[in-house]
Amino acid sequence: MKILFLANTLFDSIGQMYLTAFLKKGGHQCKILIECEHRDFISDILREKPDVAAFSITTGNHLWAINLGRTLKRIKQGLKIVFGGPHCTFYPQSISHPDVDAICIGEGEIAFLELVNRWESGEKPTDIANFCFKENGNIYRNDVRNYIEDLDILPFPDREYYTRYKFLHDYPSKPIMAGRGCPYKCTFCFNDGMNKLYKGKGKTVRYRSVRNIIEEIEHLKKNYPLKTVVFMDDTFAMNKPWLEEFLENYKKHDLPPFWCQLRVNLVTEDLVKNLSEAGCRRVSLGIESGNEYIREKILHKGITNEKIIETGNVLRKYKIKFRTYNMFGLPEETLDRAFETVLINQKIKTDYPWAAIAQPFPGTELFTYMQDNGMIKGDVDIDKINTSFFKESIVQDKEIGKLVNLQKLFYLVVKFPVLNKTVKTLVHYNWLRFLYEAVFKVTYIINSAGSYNTPIFRTLVHAFKMNKMYSKANISEDIQEK
């Protein structure tokens, strides 16, 4: 069968690349098409004559997929529409949409291959684990299968579509997953929900072999202008024996510098020293909030301010630059509590301070908490949740306008503490939102270019395309119908 994976974000989607690689290995034809890189996306899709159109979607981005899927279904008779990704995992009601034939929940490689094999042979797919199906008006819901234990059975992510998109082919940093899974219970994160979904279905955290990862990086170095390897793992430093083996092997090969994500409670001086010696030049840390009560009691991070400060100090000692992830608009967050987030980032001298507007997605514990405590009124229209983390909040709270304004000015005030009093006053004035938006856009470009070690112009082009696609993704069906 011929499967087209359709996307509207100009990023290297690890999930889609693994799926296309696995399906190709199973004897099927696959391509990834990205809308913003096509003048006539519909025509280009139809020219490929696909049997299946597949979408990996997040909440907010699902509207774009629904609209496009409906259009394609009307034009091409017999086309199968398949949804997957976090939105479907936590909102399986997506199967009820009239134009969706199947949705994948959880890990998709083995399940998706089984699906297209059955479709190709004419067999009924209604009992395939990890899938929900709609057939002849009936909906079939199936449990998830066990986690994939041996990640080395998966072929390297299929990056062949880079040859079509020069922008991505030439992008100097490439994402890699060394493993899968996270055991922590952060209330805002999809991992907590995944762990509950897969309870009793295998080991949560799994790693590829070091040899397998090194081979993939060497392949990337040979075939692409690779300057930085970006490890996307949530728990990169959790398995110490694996990490020691990996760092020793990384040093032995002539490989580019790398960037990884660390959890603050796992950081030690020995770890940072070893990372630095192996070629780690940047890390990212999840701070989320500078207020310990919010971070511990509401977000369940299990990290103290003391440990955050200690981590910042040791990273600077070994000259590893770091990015911090933060959120505004959290439960029980006043402007004063939000400013604690500004202050702790200033104290640790964050190189790349990054902040989002908290988006409590349905299916997360944070969403339930906020709904139970009146911060989200009534039934949430999932179609109204914004695709971007930087636009607006669904939270109903008297302080939310100030917190959204502070998010726009976060990078500026962290970098220039002399502005603390000024910014704390300015955020009260919503009529200046246009100014805050302008400041955010400029600082976002500077921040992204620095943290990803890419030229400003390339980052600017990427941001322009993404902003255009985010705006389009949030257009509802009703508006498009008109």
Side-chain angles (χ1 to χ4, degrees):
M1 297 190 82
K2 188 165 190 178
I3 304 101
L4 287 189
F5 286 82
L6 305 176
N8 69 338
T9 53
L10 196 58
F11 286 115
D12 316 337
S13 171
I14 287 284
Q16 287 187 334
M17 291 190 293
Y18 266 116
L19 285 167
T20 58
F22 200 74
L23 290 168
K24 283 182 177 180
K25 185 180 178 181
H28 300 279
Q29 300 178 59
C30 296
K31 281 188 179 180
I32 300 173
L33 300 186
I34 303 174
E35 184 174 8
C36 61
E37 295 294 276
H38 294 259
R39 291 185 178 181
D40 190 341
F41 195 44
I42 300 294
S43 295
D44 288 346
I45 292 170
L46 297 175
R47 193 173 294 115
E48 297 287 346
K49 298 180 180 179
D51 301 299
V52 179
F55 300 79
S56 181
I57 52 178
T58 55
T59 301
N61 198 38
H62 67 287
L63 281 180
W64 168 83
I66 289 171
N67 293 333
L68 180 56
R70 183 181 65 244
T71 299
L72 293 173
K73 198 88 167 173
R74 290 174 180 175
I75 297 172
K76 190 177 188 306
Q77 188 175 7
L79 179 69
K80 301 289 189 183
I81 302 293
V82 179
F83 283 3
H87 178 73
C88 296
T89 298
F90 297 107
Y91 194 74
Q93 297 94 315
S94 301
I95 188 60
S96 63
H97 193 278
D99 298 308
V100 178
D101 296 291
I103 66 167
C104 184
I105 296 171
E107 289 186 334
E109 289 89 356
I110 295 174
F112 207 157
L113 179 59
E114 185 178 348
L115 170 65
V116 294
N117 282 345
R118 289 215 203 169
W119 270 340
E120 188 172 53
S121 65
E123 298 178 60
K124 281 193 173 184
T126 51
D127 63 342
I128 297 176
N130 288 70
F131 266 100
C132 295
F133 297 92
K134 186 163 66 271
E135 185 174 276
N136 299 324
N138 298 314
I139 292 178
Y140 303 85
R141 304 176 189 274
N142 300 301
D143 195 6
V144 294
R145 65 191 69 210
N146 288 349
Y147 272 132
I148 299 172
E149 286 282 342
D150 181 8
L151 297 179
D152 282 7
I153 70 169
L154 301 175
F156 296 155
D158 170 30
R159 301 175 194 261
E160 185 179 330
Y161 75 109
Y162 285 144
T163 59
R164 178 188 293 262
Y165 304 123
K166 182 174 172 56
F167 182 90
L168 286 177
H169 180 281
D170 295 345
Y171 208 78
S173 62
K174 296 286 184 271
I176 286 182
M177 292 292 290
R180 294 183 180 183
C182 176
Y184 294 99
K185 298 181 179 180
C186 302
T187 59
F188 58 88
C189 183
F190 79 95
N191 278 312
D192 182 45
M194 280 284 283
N195 294 341
K196 292 172 182 174
L197 179 68
Y198 274 90
K199 187 175 181 180
K201 298 285 186 176
K203 195 164 151 185
T204 299
V205 181
R206 296 143 289 147
Y207 287 89
R208 297 163 59 188
S209 69
V210 170
R211 175 191 53 79
N212 187 260
I213 297 169
I214 297 296
E215 285 179 2
E216 182 184 357
I217 298 171
E218 288 179 330
H219 171 77
L220 291 176
K221 181 184 172 185
K222 180 180 178 180
N223 293 280
Y224 301 97
L226 183 66
K227 292 184 179 178
T228 307
V229 174
V230 181
F231 288 100
M232 306 298 291
D233 305 60
D234 295 309
T235 51
F236 187 75
M238 186 173 177
N239 186 320
K240 290 184 179 179
W242 175 90
L243 185 64
E244 288 174 2
E245 180 188 352
F246 170 79
L247 296 179
E248 279 299 316
N249 277 270
Y250 207 94
K251 284 189 289 186
K252 293 176 183 177
H253 295 76
D254 183 23
L255 300 175
F258 68 91
W259 178 29
C260 65
Q261 302 186 70
L262 299 179
R263 204 171 194 277
V264 170
N265 63 300
L266 300 177
V267 175
T268 64
E269 182 164 351
D270 283 344
L271 168 66
V272 174
K273 180 176 181 290
N274 291 336
L275 285 169
S276 178
E277 290 176 350
C280 179
R281 296 294 173 261
R282 285 173 175 76
V283 301
S284 59
L285 309 167
I287 306 300
E288 319 312 347
S289 172
N291 181 271
E292 285 194 324
Y293 170 79
I294 291 176
R295 196 169 57 243
E296 176 61 27
K297 299 299 182 182
I298 295 175
L299 301 182
H300 298 174
K301 286 288 290 187
I303 297 169
T304 65
N305 283 353
E306 181 183 5
K307 184 61 178 175
I308 292 171
I309 293 167
E310 176 190 318
T311 296
N313 289 337
V314 73
L315 287 170
R316 287 200 309 276
K317 177 179 178 180
Y318 289 93
K319 296 181 171 52
I320 295 180
K321 293 187 175 183
F322 56 98
R323 186 183 206 184
T324 55
Y325 292 112
N326 306 270
M327 291 186 285
F328 292 107
L330 292 162
E332 301 183 46
E333 186 176 40
T334 62
L335 180 59
D336 285 339
R337 282 182 166 180
F339 234 82
E340 291 180 45
T341 305
V342 173
L343 296 175
I344 198 166
N345 276 273
Q346 290 175 343
K347 189 162 189 174
I348 63 177
K349 298 179 181 177
T350 307
D351 296 287
Y352 310 110
W354 189 96
I357 299 165
Q359 298 289 355
F361 290 125
T364 63
E365 189 176 328
L366 181 62
F367 178 88
T368 302
Y369 179 95
M370 295 178 85
Q371 196 168 43
D372 290 347
N373 286 275
M375 296 187 69
I376 302 172
K377 302 295 184 182
D379 294 329
V380 173
D381 183 352
I382 201 163
D383 292 345
K384 301 298 183 185
I385 296 178
N386 204 287
T387 307
S388 172
F389 295 106
F390 309 126
K391 295 292 185 183
E392 58 192 25
S393 174
I394 64 171
V395 173
Q396 298 181 19
D397 184 88
K398 64 181 180 179
E399 295 274 286
I400 194 63
K402 301 169 193 173
L403 303 181
V404 169
N405 292 340
L406 181 56
Q407 180 269 332
K408 300 290 182 289
L409 301 174
F410 180 70
Y411 178 92
L412 191 68
V413 70
V414 169
K415 286 296 187 179
F416 301 99
V418 69
L419 296 175
N420 280 4
K421 289 184 179 179
T422 302
V423 168
K424 205 167 186 179
T425 300
L426 282 175
V427 295
H428 288 80
Y429 302 120
N430 281 329
W431 61 274
L432 287 173
R433 180 69 64 84
F434 74 95
L435 176 61
Y436 309 149
E437 290 282 358
V439 169
F440 172 73
K441 288 176 181 177
V442 172
T443 55
Y444 178 87
I445 297 298
I446 295 170
N447 200 1
S448 296
S451 60
Y452 284 99
N453 194 27
T454 55
I456 287 284
F457 178 74
R458 180 178 287 274
T459 306
L460 185 62
V461 171
H462 186 260
F464 173 78
K465 290 183 177 184
M466 290 306 302
N467 185 65
K468 185 177 180 181
M469 290 309 302
Y470 277 138
S471 299
K472 187 174 182 179
N474 284 307
I475 298 174
S476 71
E477 292 181 75
D478 293 337
I479 293 173
Q480 287 205 345
E481 289 281 342
K482 297 174 184 177

